[in-house]
Amino acid sequence: VNLGRASRADLARKIVGILRLPCTVIGVSTEEYNQTHRNGVITAERPPDCSLSISAANGSYTPRPWDVALHHYLTGKIPPV
C-alpha cells in the first residue's frame, strides 16, 4: 500500500504516461459499463471507495506516493530501502 488514492482509470492513465503508450484511457463508471457492455446486468456490488488503509502500520514504515512507486516498478528504477 502506498500513499494516495487512484481510480482504475487514473492508474491506467499513469501507466500509459510512464510507458509512453500511444493510446488514450477513457474513464467509465460501473453503471455506464453495465448499461453499455452488459445490457444493464450488474457486474458486482462495490462500495464507492475501496482504498486500503495503512493505519495499522502505526508509522512503522514510510510509504511512497502511489504514482512514484508505480514509476519505480515500471521503469525498474527501485530505490534502495
Side-chain angles (χ1 to χ4, degrees):
V1 176
N2 295 105
L3 291 178
R5 296 178 179 183
S7 69
R8 291 178 182 149
D10 294 334
L11 178 61
R13 285 186 192 100
K14 187 58 81 169
I15 291 169
V16 165
I18 292 168
L19 299 179
R20 297 181 180 166
L21 300 173
C23 62
T24 301
V25 175
I26 300 170
V28 178
S29 70
T30 300
E31 293 78 18
E32 183 180 351
Y33 177 82
N34 289 338
Q35 287 300 320
T36 305
H37 301 287
R38 296 184 47 88
N39 297 318
V41 177
I42 296 173
T43 53
E45 295 289 333
R46 293 184 181 89
D49 185 353
C50 297
S51 301
L52 297 175
S53 172
I54 61 169
S55 61
N58 294 324
S60 60
Y61 80 105
T62 304
R64 298 169 286 178
W66 71 269
D67 56 336
V68 171
L70 179 66
H71 188 274
H72 290 159
Y73 176 75
L74 292 175
T75 62
K77 297 177 182 174
I78 302 172
V81 177

